Amino acid sequence: MSKEVPQPPLCDKIEHSYQLIGRKWVGLIIRSLIEEPKRFSEIHAYIPDLSKRVLNERLKELEESGIILRHVITSRPVRIEYSLTR
């Protein structure tokens, strides 16, 4: 009989990162922001099969996790751009 060697637990931050990055659409959202900041509609146009509701949820999750920044541009009309953090 072979004995399984217990694996040490992963760092909570690493575990959370794996779970977040592994979610559906997150990789494509990050890919769409690699070259330059984009508005919601530009990200949606880059990933047309992604519903606006899910895109909104994923953007909030990525912002809360510190992966993207949400920048409000106070010109008329008000615009919101998303960009990757360092």
Side-chain angles (χ1 to χ4, degrees), residues 23-85:
R23 296 194 71 177
K24 191 170 184 178
W25 305 113
V26 170
L28 286 172
I29 293 169
I30 291 172
R31 172 64 184 99
S32 74
L33 296 171
I34 283 179
E35 294 178 12
E36 62 185 358
K38 289 190 174 53
R39 295 189 334 245
F40 184 94
S41 60
E42 294 171 318
I43 298 169
H44 188 258
Y46 184 84
I47 315 168
D49 292 339
L50 173 58
S51 74
K52 291 180 179 181
R53 181 186 63 79
V54 172
L55 176 56
N56 190 46
E57 287 176 10
R58 294 298 183 265
L59 289 172
K60 285 181 183 179
E61 292 168 355
L62 291 167
E63 182 183 8
E64 289 171 0
S65 296
I67 295 173
I68 64 171
L69 292 174
R70 182 179 184 265
H71 180 70
V72 178
I73 301 168
T74 57
S75 62
R76 296 282 181 209
V78 173
R79 295 182 331 172
I80 298 172
E81 285 187 342
Y82 297 92
S83 62
L84 293 175
T85 59

